[in-house]
Amino acid sequence: MKLLVVGSGGREHALAWKLAQSPRVQIVYVAPGNGGTAQDERLRNVDITDPAALADFVEAEHVALTVIGPEAPLAAGIVNLFRSRGLKVFGPTKEAAQLESSKDFAKAFMKRHNIPTAEYETFTNAAAAHAYVDQKGTPIVIKADGLAAGKGVVVAMSDDEAHEAIDSMLEGNKLGDAGARVVIEEFLAGEEASFIVMVDGKHVLALASSQDHKRLLDGDKGPNTGGMGAYSPAPIVTPQLHARVMREIILPTVRGMENEGIRYTGFLYAGLMIDAQGNPKTLEFNCRMGDPETQPIMARLKGDFSKIIEMAIDGKLDGAELDWDRRTALGVVLAAHNYPETPRKGDRINGIPAETGDAVTFHAGTTLADGKLTTSGGRVLCVVGLADTVRGAQSVVYDTVNQISFDGMQYRRDIGYRAVNRKQAERHG
Ligand code: AMP
Ligand code: GLY
């Protein structure tokens, strides 16, 4: 069978790479793909991004199933369009994708259904927003309502930062329509984890846990990014916490959407903040897989993922089971010069080693032209290593990273440090 993955990032490379391992899959098209998906002979890039043109392509090529990677086409209704044409697609409808595309929708939904999350209020009026910040004090978190490609959240530690964020979103129109409405919420302290599940409208199948590193620099310093590295499993998500997140967050969300007449289908990602006592709260929902969480998660997934996707599309996830490599997978993002502000493009990439049983390099912002691989985006590559321990996975990854080079390459040297610290504390505690 032929499959299609829509998107061009590291997440899509990892999804396509995994799907292509199935013996029943002839080819996985990736639209538009990147330099890495262009190089893999089991994958083929398709230079189409328009949803209707993609549906035409799927019909013409008899593509059996399509998986949508990023939030933008989901929020624009690509799943609605594919379904209206009778095409099999995995992802949420435009209505269901509001859990990500509108923070106000997500917060109001969580409040209605008693799903644990930070206290909040929504504003369109700057004066009222300023007054709320004065009343609540800092730290406080200011979020643009709409999709802002990771740039819509300001965790304000000082009053000045908070007021500035309100002004730039509501008055400066810095984020356009996405910031015309802001959610202001309580600052939550703790450790974050990514909790990602597959949903078929009714049944839920949890993927392995993971943790992302959102800051640019070691020790979680520097500006927020799309994610500088991730690993799976995340030891903070114990079996007890897993059960609690399913019971208090995931299942009420899926049931709540169904009760409101919006069947949720697709990947559902709850960004969690876990406090010192181990209580989880929902920071955000994403209506897709995480990037870079997908890369280590796919590296650990065993078995035929195309069958699981098909069961999800057919509403049969209750019969599905996932089998995981017991090792830890750890992914380190190699980012371009001047990422995240204005990443430079066009730097020549050298030295990416061939995939082995314990290391694989997924591409994101890369282009292949005339046999030459160059940078073409902020996050360029994500190198994933597998080993029995987090430290072992770090050593596999950084050995691989050391072989790769491009001008301006930047990456974190401490991906996985929280898990290492946790293990050490357990040994000494
Ligand atoms: P979001 O897009 O909502 O996940 O926000 C991006 C990042 O901002 C999160 O990964 C957290 O690191 C941080 N953040 C968001 N909301 C809060 C909050 N209520 N308290 C503390 N940090 C937050
Ligand atoms: N890694 C965070 C995200 O995908 O939103």
Side-chain angles (χ1 to χ4, degrees), residues 3 18 51 62 90 97 103 127 161 180 230 257 265 419:
L3 308 183
K18 183 68 219 172
H62 305 288
F90 188 59
K103 301 251 185 215
E161 276 177 279
M257 291 293 275
T265 53

Side-chain angles (χ1 to χ4, degrees), residues 161-241:
E161 276 177 279
H163 291 299
E164 229 168 77
I166 292 169
D167 282 338
S168 87
M169 290 182 202
L170 286 179
E171 311 254 50
N173 206 21
K174 197 171 157 207
L175 298 169
D177 280 351
R181 192 200 293 250
V182 300
V183 164
I184 303 187
E185 70 177 32
E186 170 198 7
F187 172 84
L188 299 175
E191 184 172 335
E192 286 179 59
S194 306
F195 199 99
I196 309 175
V197 301
M198 295 173 71
V199 189
D200 67 7
K202 201 166 205 66
H203 315 104
V204 176
L205 184 65
L207 301 183
S209 63
S210 58
Q211 193 177 67
D212 180 17
H213 300 56
K214 292 207 164 100
R215 302 291 187 133
L216 181 69
L217 305 174
D218 284 8
D220 293 328
K221 304 270 186 325
N224 251 318
T225 71
M228 293 298 290
Y231 64 99
S232 169
I236 189 168
V237 184
T238 58
Q240 292 77 1
L241 182 65

Side-chain angles (χ1 to χ4, degrees), residues 52-339:
L54 278 170
D56 293 342
F57 173 83
V58 162
E59 278 170 4
E61 292 297 320
H62 305 288
V63 170
L65 313 168
T66 299
V67 180
I68 314 295
E71 62 276 20
L74 292 165
I78 192 169
V79 169
N80 307 57
L81 175 80
F82 270 52
R83 285 202 189 138
S84 74
R85 292 177 56 165
L87 305 174
K88 285 193 165 201
V89 61
F90 188 59
T93 59
K94 178 182 179 156
E95 293 74 26
Q98 286 178 94
L99 280 178
E100 175 169 4
S101 66
S102 168
K103 301 251 185 215
D104 176 50
F105 176 90
K107 294 295 288 189
F109 173 85
M110 285 191 269
K111 204 164 166 180
R112 277 198 296 282
H113 296 279
N114 285 320
I115 294 165
T117 188
E119 260 192 65
Y120 83 106
E121 270 192 47
T122 301
F123 298 91
T124 50
N125 176 283
H130 288 301
Y132 184 74
V133 165
D134 287 337
Q135 178 205 334
K136 293 284 173 183
T138 49
I140 198 159
V141 183
I142 322 285
K143 300 185 173 185
D145 176 54
L147 293 180
K151 296 198 168 71
V153 175
V154 175
V155 179
M157 301 314 285
S158 69
D159 291 13
D160 283 354
E161 276 177 279
H163 291 299
E164 229 168 77
I166 292 169
D167 282 338
S168 87
M169 290 182 202
L170 286 179
E171 311 254 50
N173 206 21
K174 197 171 157 207
L175 298 169
D177 280 351
R181 192 200 293 250
V182 300
V183 164
I184 303 187
E185 70 177 32
E186 170 198 7
F187 172 84
L188 299 175
E191 184 172 335
E192 286 179 59
S194 306
F195 199 99
I196 309 175
V197 301
M198 295 173 71
V199 189
D200 67 7
K202 201 166 205 66
H203 315 104
V204 176
L205 184 65
L207 301 183
S209 63
S210 58
Q211 193 177 67
D212 180 17
H213 300 56
K214 292 207 164 100
R215 302 291 187 133
L216 181 69
L217 305 174
D218 284 8
D220 293 328
K221 304 270 186 325
N224 251 318
T225 71
M228 293 298 290
Y231 64 99
S232 169
I236 189 168
V237 184
T238 58
Q240 292 77 1
L241 182 65
H242 178 99
R244 209 173 143 189
V245 172
M246 289 294 283
R247 195 171 63 237
E248 294 180 10
I249 296 173
I250 301 293
L251 294 173
T253 300
V254 174
R255 302 278 169 272
M257 291 293 275
E258 195 181 3
N259 290 339
E260 294 189 14
I262 306 177
R263 272 169 73 85
Y264 194 96
T265 53
F267 294 107
L268 177 64
Y269 168 146
L272 306 177
M273 185 68 89
I274 298 143
D275 73 13
Q277 287 71 46
N279 302 306
K281 284 193 175 158
T282 316
L283 286 180
E284 61 162 348
F285 285 118
N286 293 318
C287 62
R288 50 168 176 85
M289 293 247 355
D291 191 340
E293 290 94 325
T294 306
Q295 291 86 316
I297 289 175
M298 285 298 123
R300 288 186 62 216
L301 182 59
K302 301 210 266 190
D304 188 339
F305 194 41
S306 75
K307 288 195 174 147
I308 304 284
I309 295 279
E310 188 165 32
M311 290 169 93
I313 293 173
D314 294 340
K316 294 180 178 154
L317 274 184
D318 50 334
E321 233 176 276
L322 297 172
D323 192 14
W324 300 100
D325 191 322
R326 297 177 64 85
R327 294 176 296 172
T328 291
L330 188 125
V332 172
V333 169
L334 308 184
H337 175 75
N338 223 22
Y339 177 73

